[in-house]
Amino acid sequence: MHHLHLVHAIGRTPMVELRHCSPKPGVHLFAKLEGWNPTGSVKDRIVREMLLGAEREGRLRPGDTVIEASTGNTGIALAMIGRALGYDVRVVMPENVFPEIPRTLAVYGAVVEWVPADQGVRRAIEVARERAEREGWLFLDQFCNPYNVQAHYETTGPEILEDVSHVDVFVAGLGTGGTLMGVGRRLKEVSPKTQVIAVEPHPGNQLQGLKSLADGFIPPILDFDLLDGKILVRSRHAFRAASELMRREAIFAGVSSGAVLHAALRVAQRLERGNVVLVFADNGWKYLGTSLWTSPPEADEGEELDDIIWW
Ligand SMILES: Cc1ncc(COP(=O)(O)O)c(C=O)c1O
């Protein structure tokens, strides 16, 4: 790999303290801003690792086609890195993804294949696998691919430790589980007492990029022994937290970052002091078409009780 190649622009994202969100003077919240990656999400890291891994193993040659199932960020990361490294890219997606996603894929020259909205990303995974087998393409398979976890173990985890040497609690969204597994393993090697908390959508709620384990599909790369807990977040609360994040901290992040912030504040309520590190997986651009910024959901008295929101 040559120096100064576009793939080296991935990672080394900023860590910032959320000074206006912490509920107590002794509790410090730090957010790793993955939206600062070249395509605006944490997925640039794992796609680079999965493609370079396949190249090293001789499973990928110049001009080959790579296919992946995605509802957004991984597809866009693949479209960018595939183009930069000389591969044709195909992304299989459900028809209900945000319209900015297929538009961005088209800009990068990736081909989109659709599956019906009601069949979701699980059907997209099946289609991608079948197409790859039939055509001899490489199926990236982020839910099963160990390079997904390795990318976070090798890059995100060490970067976090450079900025925050002692992490009491680590909070991240659960999609494939790659972030939680890779960073969690790295942090626990340094201090075994670090708590690793997964953020999931409340059953029946949709949160772009995150999945509920209650829907029956457990990502194969997920190792429950590494998790110390999980927090279920409703879409409404995630939207409101994303909007508060803009108001208080001027950070323009996506919906899953709102969910992570909401969950981290619940954790913070239970601490007297300590460092809590959050991963904000993407930036806010692709959510501009939603009403998130213009009319965030109102606080709802009844349900606030179980969710311990302090603002
Ligand atoms: C917006 C967003 N947030 C969070 C995640 C979760 O990351 P991971 O797949 O590492 O669990 C993803 C990816 O699935 C995502 O696209």
Side-chain angles (χ1 to χ4, degrees), residues 41-43 46 71-74 142-143 148 152 172-180 208-210 221 254-257 280-282 286-287:
S41 94
V42 67
K43 295 299 185 176
I46 71 160
T71 52
N73 286 330
T74 304
Q142 58 174 335
F143 285 92
N148 174 356
H152 292 292
L174 184 126
T176 62
T179 310
L180 285 158
Q208 178 79 21
L210 304 188
I221 59 172
V255 175
S256 81
S257 304
F280 288 167
D282 67 358
K286 72 178 80 64
Y287 310 95

Side-chain angles (χ1 to χ4, degrees), residues 283-298:
N283 64 34
W285 289 104
K286 72 178 80 64
Y287 310 95
L288 269 185
T290 70
S291 59
L292 204 168
W293 316 105
T294 45
S295 49
E298 299 282 319

Side-chain angles (χ1 to χ4, degrees), residues 161 165-168 186-195:
L161 288 163
S165 56
H166 182 79
V167 180
D168 294 290
R186 177 67 78 171
L187 296 183
K188 280 178 188 272
E189 275 175 13
V190 173
S191 45
K193 288 210 174 97
T194 299
Q195 292 210 308

Side-chain angles (χ1 to χ4, degrees), residues 35-311:
W36 266 243
N37 277 300
T39 72
S41 94
V42 67
K43 295 299 185 176
D44 289 350
R45 295 177 186 269
I46 71 160
V47 170
R48 173 177 64 182
E49 197 74 19
M50 292 189 290
L51 287 180
L52 296 184
E55 284 182 351
R56 278 196 304 274
E57 292 167 5
R59 293 186 290 122
L60 199 52
R61 297 201 163 71
D64 280 358
T65 297
V66 183
I67 190 166
E68 178 65 317
S70 167
T71 52
N73 286 330
T74 304
I76 294 172
L78 175 59
M80 185 270 284
I81 304 170
R83 172 159 288 275
L85 295 177
Y87 302 112
D88 286 333
V89 171
R90 288 183 173 251
V91 180
V92 187
M93 294 191 304
E95 278 165 341
N96 58 342
V97 301
F98 290 131
E100 287 76 6
I101 291 162
R103 283 186 203 141
T104 309
L105 290 171
V107 169
Y108 279 109
V111 176
V112 175
E113 297 191 30
W114 298 104
V115 299
D118 59 353
Q119 297 181 17
V121 76
R122 285 172 79 175
R123 177 67 192 144
I125 292 171
E126 283 170 18
V127 169
R129 179 174 283 121
E130 286 163 16
R131 297 275 285 139
E133 276 170 16
R134 193 160 355 109
E135 307 286 346
W137 297 335
L138 180 76
F139 174 37
L140 222 48
D141 203 5
Q142 58 174 335
F143 285 92
C144 298
N145 194 320
Y147 287 118
N148 174 356
V149 178
Q150 190 171 324
H152 292 292
Y153 181 81
E154 301 285 352
T155 71
T156 327
E159 288 172 30
I160 288 171
L161 288 163
E162 266 175 41
D163 289 326
V164 182
S165 56
H166 182 79
V167 180
D168 294 290
V169 187
F170 175 67
V171 187
L174 184 126
T176 62
T179 310
L180 285 158
M181 294 296 106
V183 175
R185 193 164 293 146
R186 177 67 78 171
L187 296 183
K188 280 178 188 272
E189 275 175 13
V190 173
S191 45
K193 288 210 174 97
T194 299
Q195 292 210 308
V196 176
I197 309 287
V199 179
E200 270 185 55
H202 212 278
N205 285 223
Q206 289 275 0
L207 284 172
Q208 178 79 21
L210 304 188
K211 69 182 303 305
S212 166
L213 296 179
D215 77 2
F217 175 71
I218 312 288
I221 59 172
L222 201 63
D223 171 4
F224 283 93
D225 289 346
L226 264 182
L227 296 180
D228 295 287
K230 65 177 189 179
I231 295 182
L232 306 180
V233 177
R234 292 177 174 81
S235 315
R236 206 157 35 80
H237 295 164
F239 273 61
R240 199 165 65 243
S243 147
E244 280 293 311
L245 183 63
M246 170 51 79
R247 211 167 61 76
R248 289 174 185 253
E249 308 281 353
I251 294 174
F252 185 44
V255 175
S256 81
S257 304
V260 167
L261 175 59
H262 179 85
L265 290 172
R266 291 179 61 182
V267 171
Q269 284 287 347
R270 300 164 53 169
L271 297 175
E272 270 322 307
R273 57 185 57 259
N275 293 336
V276 182
V277 170
L278 294 65
V279 172
F280 288 167
D282 67 358
N283 64 34
W285 289 104
K286 72 178 80 64
Y287 310 95
L288 269 185
T290 70
S291 59
L292 204 168
W293 316 105
T294 45
S295 49
E298 299 282 319
D300 163 341
E301 293 304 324
E303 272 173 2
E304 305 316 321
L305 293 173
D306 14 312
D307 280 346
I308 320 175
I309 299 176
W310 63 273
W311 59 66

